[in-house]
Amino acid sequence: FVKTGRLVKICHQTGQGGFGVVYKAKFLPQRPKGGSYVEPSTEDAIADTVRKSSDKDDCSTYFALKRIDCTEDQDGKLFEQCWNEVRIHQKLFDDTTSDRNYHNTQNVMPLVDFSSSTTRQQHIFFDMLFPFYGQSLEEDLADRHLMEDVLESERNPYSTIQVLELFLGVVHGVQALHDIAGVCHGDIKIDNVLLRIDERDGCDNNPTPVLMDFGSCKPLIVPLYSPQDVIDACERAVHDTTISYRAPELWKQQQQETCQLLSQSNAPHQYLDYGRADVWSLGCV
């Protein structure tokens, strides 16, 4: 990895998304003097070395390794998207960030380290290393039986105060992206909110929500000069966003209306406000 110069051991896979796979991992011991480690050459080799860690181990030693396969990325767009995600994380936690924004950055995922590599078989990977938080908001809702049709007695709902505190934390995370990084999130949903347990409290009743996955981030305001710009924006929305959290202006019906407006002679160009689209998604959360 670039910053730490360390190697990690992959423990096991914890998730998979549209662009990559997430593993639970931990640092290997420091490289012995005069010794060397051999990098696995294929994904099969990685799988062969997987060892599940004991539940008794200290969770603070674990990390979430997000691995994106860029092998088929002929035009370099996916690789650039990975670098853009790294730059957003770096901007959020830059040393020049003012103290007044400190509280907000507690609700966005910090980047521990990153690297890119090419194996002997010419597989190209981009890896990002994050703190490991064991549960997402979606998983917590499921554990409380709040996402299924069950008897009221089987549910374990949040209190009103808990709902407001969790939501305020997510809002702080989005505000940090908007105000500090100058970008929208683009895919806000309960799957992309992790819950961090504060070890000092020793209690999981008041976890801190942490916004993650900045792979769909875009500029807050995007100008639309032609009907094709509108079509492209809506096609990106289908690709980058989750349908049940998608703002109305990113739907096909709105696309047709905006295209008609832009096709008029001497019509001023329009703007797509992705910041407002984030606010819609917050409401869905």
Side-chain angles (χ1 to χ4, degrees):
F1 279 90
V2 173
K3 293 191 294 183
T4 61
R6 300 284 295 276
L7 295 174
V8 297
K9 179 184 77 173
I10 293 175
C11 301
H12 57 84
Q13 182 176 327
T14 62
Q16 184 166 358
F19 295 104
V21 181
V22 179
Y23 299 97
K24 188 176 183 180
K26 63 190 307 181
F27 281 133
L28 282 169
Q30 294 279 12
R31 187 189 302 271
K33 188 174 182 180
S36 62
Y37 294 114
V38 178
E39 191 79 26
S41 59
T42 67
E43 288 288 75
D44 289 338
I46 293 174
D48 289 339
T49 60
V50 166
R51 296 176 183 172
K52 290 190 176 181
S53 303
S54 168
D55 291 336
K56 296 181 180 179
D57 287 347
D58 181 4
C59 287
S60 65
T61 63
Y62 291 107
F63 301 92
L65 174 66
K66 180 179 178 181
R67 166 158 284 192
I68 298 95
D69 188 347
C70 299
T71 306
E72 303 299 326
D73 183 30
Q74 300 297 330
D75 57 6
K77 289 184 178 179
L78 181 57
F79 204 78
E80 176 56 31
Q81 182 177 314
C82 293
W83 274 111
N84 185 56
E85 192 169 345
V86 167
R87 286 191 287 266
I88 290 170
H89 282 283
Q90 291 175 329
K91 193 169 185 178
L92 285 167
F93 293 93
D94 188 273
D95 291 338
T96 61
T97 300
S98 61
D99 290 339
R100 67 184 176 85
N101 288 320
Y102 173 79
H103 182 73
N104 287 359
T105 57
Q106 302 310 296
N107 298 106
V108 290
M109 177 66 82
L111 177 67
V112 176
D113 213 335
F114 63 94
S115 71
S116 61
S117 60
T118 303
T119 69
R120 296 187 187 99
Q121 281 72 30
Q122 300 304 305
H123 291 282
I124 303 170
F125 295 109
F126 198 105
D127 295 328
M128 286 177 264
L129 198 66
F130 303 98
F132 182 81
Y133 303 134
Q135 194 171 45
S136 69
L137 180 56
E138 180 191 36
E139 291 166 332
D140 193 49
L141 288 167
D143 288 348
R144 292 170 175 269
H145 302 291
L146 300 177
M147 299 177 66
E148 53 189 296
D149 188 15
V150 297
L151 295 174
E152 192 65 31
S153 59
E154 297 179 21
R155 296 177 183 271
N156 179 23
Y158 301 107
S159 69
T160 302
I161 293 298
Q162 287 176 315
V163 171
L164 292 173
E165 287 179 340
L166 282 169
F167 185 65
L168 182 60
V170 179
V171 171
H172 280 160
V174 175
Q175 184 181 21
L177 279 173
H178 289 194
D179 293 351
I180 303 174
V183 296
C184 74
H185 183 278
D187 194 21
I188 300 169
K189 55 185 177 181
I190 56 177
D191 318 49
N192 283 336
V193 178
L194 297 181
L195 300 178
R196 183 182 68 231
I197 306 301
D198 194 330
E199 294 178 356
R200 293 170 297 179
D201 292 342
C203 176
D204 61 2
N205 288 330
N206 298 296
T208 299
V210 178
L211 191 63
M212 70 162 190
D213 193 358
F214 301 156
S216 297
C217 287
K218 305 174 190 66
L220 285 171
I221 303 292
V222 174
L224 303 172
Y225 296 103
S226 69
Q228 187 59 49
D229 289 341
V230 181
I231 295 170
D232 291 344
C234 289
E235 287 180 351
R236 283 194 299 271
V238 171
H239 187 260
D240 294 342
T241 67
T242 302
I243 188 170
S244 52
Y245 296 84
R246 190 179 304 154
E249 57 267 35
L250 299 176
W251 285 83
K252 190 173 183 179
Q253 292 83 346
Q254 185 66 32
Q255 167 190 319
Q256 294 170 344
E257 188 176 314
T258 307
C259 284
Q260 289 176 355
L261 183 62
L262 286 171
S263 63
Q264 297 174 5
S265 59
N266 301 321
H269 64 264
Q270 304 291 305
Y271 292 93
L272 184 53
D273 191 333
Y274 280 112
R276 293 179 67 180
D278 268 359
V279 174
W280 175 276
S281 300
L282 276 172
C284 296
V285 168

